[in-house]
Amino acid sequence: MHVLLVTHHYAPETGAPQRRWSAFVRRFVDAGHRVTVLAPPPHYPSGRAGDLAPHDRVGTVTRGQHGETVVRVRFRTHDHRLVSRSVDQAVAATDSLVRAVARYAGRRDRPDVVIATAPGLPSIPAGMAVARLLRRPVVVEMRDAWPDLIGSSGMLGPGHGRGRRALATTAAHRAMTHLQRRADAVVTTTVSFAEVLRERGARRVEVVRNGTSVAHLDPLPPAVGPAGSLRVLYLGTLGRSQGLAAAVKAADVVRERGVDLVMRVVGTGADEAYLYDTARRLGAPVQFVGRVPQGDVRAHYAWADTSLVSLRDWGPFEWTVPSKLYEALAVGRHVTASIAGEAARIVTESDAGDVVAPQDPAALADLWTRLAEDRARLDVGLRGRRWVLDNADHDRLAAHYLELLGGLTT
């Protein structure tokens, strides 16, 4: 097959969407398929491209690291505001449509199937338009519970439930649901959101989880440390969705109880300055490391006794599984799960950690106190790793994706 991917995020950027598609593209190409990617130059997470390498500039057509063809489309420098980011995504999506039609209209080597993946949301209508103009099937991939998160997250600002903001939320919800219903297939990363989309009338919904490569993640030995101590690792995005202020407050409570706790935060995001100020104001035992290369991630897991996975208590997050959960399970570390819904069920079913309600500093502090006092609870063995191997290993996920695509092109 020849697969055309329309995406706003791609390597050499780093992040969950970029890791997902780097893993899948490598396996698609290794299986003998062609992949063409339409994506803007790397400019995540800052919104600025900086000094681009010649092969990453707008308009270039180059060979990617896995043998795929990468076409760089236009973009717009943006800041953290929703409107600014949305304009950037719209510019890239529009140029993706223009370049795809110019490149493939009337040619025999048109793609066999088009995949449009969010984020950003404008990639979805752009990818669907490309597929219709080229008369090819289209797969809409929803990595998160869009459009439901628009209202729950408050990303439209105060008063989103009233007046023009309410109308905008409703219009976005209806438009995205309409596109999901028209797609030849919709891919979600969780079973629970797939069920929601089926109830809304999407005609074919498949689950292809976010995941990890178990073969490239050797299990870590059990954590070792003195009784009364605990090392907590958070590794990932520091954004509004994660609600990490609750964990910072919990770390401060545990410190006041006399427990030797250290919380290490690895990553960057929109809430980084706020979290740093909160920790400094409280005197909480929190280290901020910033973004680290992928090659350094294992050392941070090895340092930790437990790995924190956190999401806010927004309703649609019950249909969401943070991609970092699979990595934490695969390396064999105990998981502190401040989450609900499907993600919480995975931790419980795999017996690889403990679950507390989201946004509950008291419950989190109580759990960490108990773990420090009874460190035997931190030894979860390979139970989480086995769950990932059976349900979220990249080799199996890519094979399932190719099976879906093959069924659409025959």
Side-chain angles (χ1 to χ4, degrees):
M1 290 180 290
H2 181 189
V3 178
L4 178 64
L5 173 66
V6 180
T7 179
H8 195 73
H9 300 287
Y10 199 67
E13 292 177 348
T14 58
Q18 297 89 329
R19 287 191 298 270
R20 173 180 175 86
W21 275 103
S22 183
F24 286 161
V25 166
R26 178 169 73 82
R27 287 162 175 81
F28 289 5
V29 173
D30 287 348
H33 304 288
R34 294 172 56 199
V35 178
T36 299
V37 180
L38 290 166
H43 62 296
Y44 171 87
S46 68
R48 300 180 180 276
D51 200 9
L52 287 170
H55 58 272
D56 284 330
R57 294 173 183 167
V58 173
T60 58
V61 180
T62 59
R63 183 65 58 91
Q65 68 178 113
H66 307 302
E68 74 276 26
T69 299
V70 181
V71 181
R72 294 295 181 181
V73 304
R74 296 185 185 278
F75 72 106
R76 180 183 180 274
T77 297
H78 67 82
D79 55 31
H80 67 281
R81 294 173 300 170
L82 173 64
V83 172
S84 182
R85 287 187 283 116
S86 298
V87 171
D88 169 45
Q89 293 171 1
V91 168
T94 302
D95 199 44
S96 295
L97 170 59
V98 171
R99 291 181 188 272
V101 173
R103 184 176 178 85
Y104 294 115
R107 293 176 54 176
R108 291 186 176 181
D109 68 338
R110 287 177 296 166
D112 297 298
V113 62
V114 177
I115 302 174
T117 180
L121 290 182
S123 296
I124 302 300
M128 293 189 69
V130 169
R132 296 298 179 244
L133 290 169
L134 299 181
R135 299 191 300 279
R136 291 294 188 261
V138 61
V139 174
V140 165
E141 179 179 272
M142 309 303 299
R143 290 192 59 259
D144 291 305
W146 299 109
D148 302 80
L149 278 172
I150 293 173
S152 299
S153 66
M155 62 174 59
L156 294 179
H160 72 270
R162 301 186 300 273
R164 287 180 295 176
R165 295 183 187 275
L167 291 175
T169 301
T170 301
H173 198 292
R174 289 177 176 173
M176 188 54 60
T177 300
H178 175 70
L179 293 174
Q180 290 162 348
R181 289 172 177 166
R182 292 189 61 200
D184 295 282
V186 179
V187 166
T188 76
T189 58
T190 65
V191 173
S192 48
F193 192 47
E195 293 172 352
V196 170
L197 293 180
R198 291 186 187 108
E199 291 173 358
R200 292 177 181 170
R203 50 183 165 174
R204 179 175 182 180
V205 184
E206 297 283 342
V207 179
V208 183
R209 293 185 180 276
N210 290 315
T212 192
S213 179
V214 175
H216 292 88
L217 288 171
D218 293 333
L220 292 166
V224 177
S229 69
L230 191 69
R231 292 178 174 180
V232 179
L233 173 69
Y234 176 81
L235 195 155
T237 302
L238 314 185
R240 293 185 64 244
S241 298
Q242 288 71 38
L244 291 171
V248 172
K249 295 172 184 176
D252 181 59
V253 172
V254 177
R255 174 190 60 81
E256 290 181 344
R257 293 174 178 174
V259 176
D260 181 17
L261 179 141
V262 178
M263 178 178 170
R264 179 179 291 181
V265 177
V266 180
T268 60
D271 268 12
E272 183 175 4
Y274 166 67
L275 294 170
Y276 179 83
D277 289 343
T278 301
R280 182 179 59 180
R281 175 174 53 82
L282 295 173
V286 182
Q287 303 172 348
F288 290 89
V289 177
R291 184 180 294 272
V292 301
Q294 186 63 30
D296 293 348
V297 167
R298 182 177 173 81
H300 290 287
Y301 280 119
W303 169 87
D305 296 319
T306 183
S307 182
L308 171 65
V309 179
S310 176
L311 285 175
R312 283 188 180 271
D313 54 353
W314 297 337
F317 278 157
E318 296 200 6
W319 313 326
T320 300
V321 178
S323 57
K324 279 296 180 183
L325 173 60
Y326 301 121
E327 187 174 83
L329 293 174
V331 299
R333 270 294 172 263
H334 176 278
V335 174
T336 293
S338 180
I339 47 183
E342 184 168 342
R345 290 194 295 273
I346 289 173
V347 176
T348 301
E349 291 169 5
S350 64
D351 195 20
D354 290 277
V355 177
V356 298
Q359 301 293 282
D360 190 340
L364 205 51
D366 289 345
L367 170 62
W368 285 343
T369 301
R370 292 194 300 270
L371 292 175
E373 293 171 346
D374 182 8
R375 291 181 56 88
R377 294 178 56 176
L378 296 168
D379 186 1
V380 296
L382 299 179
R383 297 188 290 271
R385 184 178 179 85
R386 285 193 289 269
W387 190 96
V388 174
L389 186 61
D390 291 340
N391 298 278
D393 181 68
H394 276 147
D395 288 339
R396 294 193 179 194
L397 296 173
H400 177 48
Y401 220 133
L402 286 174
E403 182 180 3
L404 165 63
L405 300 178
L408 293 175
T409 59
T410 54

